[in-house]
Amino acid sequence: MKTDELIHLLATDDRPVQRNAIEQRFVVAALAGIAGAGVLMLALFGLRPDLLATMALPMFWGKLVFAAALAAAGLALLRRMARPGMALGHAALWLAMPPLVLWAMALWALSQVSAAERMPLILGSTWRTCPFNIAALSVPAFVAGFWALKGAAPTRLVWTGAGAGLLAGALGALVYALHCPEMATPFLAVWYVAGMAIPTALGAVLGPRLLRW
């Protein structure tokens, strides 16, 4: 085949790509991740029995705001990583803000109690299972996030994979908050973050393998 014929053949199938196509894929992935995590949460753990009463407590909404803010910042970062050569801008700074605020609140809470009371605030009653429960609920969003990225062209594969894992972990934590009985900020600052770190690390490992193009 001659060069001119090849160019003509490629041009005949030239269709414009929507400018927000990757954003649409991320929205679909996030919604699928939340829905999948919700189904898993109900099947594995169930809603906390006092959920309606708990919704009157500010810290319940604080957990949701923390996870939602981290997920939103993760989405903003991923949409930049999904495009080759696109600068990260302030997206990385916004991603760091939710955990920094939570850690500051946790340190303040620990400073207000005696030394004997600090460890119970950190460990709560579910520290052995909380991180793994969050990681389990992140699986649907993890799969959906990598599906969305397969339709993009990321070049920083380790960091992009880690970003997809972090987004999945944040969405998993968002749903897990509807079951979790813990309210103390020191607990959240350690074990919720640890739960999100599991899919983040897995995403960093799998990114170069699954996102190569």
Side-chain angles (χ1 to χ4, degrees):
M1 180 181 295
K2 296 181 180 180
T3 302
D4 293 342
E5 293 174 346
L6 177 59
I7 293 174
H8 177 74
L9 180 63
L10 294 173
T12 56
D13 194 36
D14 184 27
R15 291 171 293 180
V17 178
Q18 293 181 333
R19 292 178 59 87
N20 61 344
I22 187 58
E23 283 79 7
Q24 292 177 356
R25 290 177 71 91
F26 282 141
V27 169
V28 171
L31 293 176
I34 292 174
V39 171
L40 276 179
M41 186 269 295
L42 292 175
L44 297 177
F45 313 122
L47 294 171
R48 56 180 298 170
D50 60 344
L51 180 61
L52 291 179
T54 304
M55 290 174 67
L57 301 176
M59 198 55 223
F60 170 78
W61 297 104
K63 289 196 295 184
L64 296 182
V65 168
F66 165 66
L70 199 56
L75 275 173
L77 185 66
L78 272 184
R79 68 176 289 272
R80 291 179 172 274
M81 287 188 169
R83 292 180 169 89
M86 190 173 189
L88 298 183
H90 297 294
L93 177 62
W94 287 113
L95 189 66
M97 288 303 295
L100 289 176
V101 171
L102 181 62
W103 289 335
M105 293 174 62
L107 290 174
W108 181 85
L110 290 174
S111 70
Q112 301 303 301
V113 299
S114 65
E117 297 175 284
R118 290 170 186 166
M119 194 55 66
L121 284 179
I122 295 173
L123 296 181
S125 60
T126 62
W127 67 274
R128 292 181 179 86
T129 58
C130 175
F132 303 105
N133 292 345
I134 290 175
L137 295 186
S138 74
V139 170
F142 190 91
V143 174
F146 271 80
W147 164 82
L149 287 168
K150 288 294 288 185
T155 55
R156 294 160 287 193
L157 302 186
V158 173
W159 290 105
T160 304
L166 179 59
L167 173 61
L171 295 178
L174 180 65
V175 174
Y176 183 67
L178 301 178
H179 164 80
C180 177
E182 308 289 352
M183 289 294 186
T185 51
F187 179 93
L188 304 178
V190 175
W191 304 111
Y192 266 52
V193 173
M196 298 179 198
I198 295 173
T200 301
L202 183 61
V205 172
L206 295 181
R209 295 169 174 79
L210 300 181
L211 299 177
R212 185 180 296 114
W213 51 281

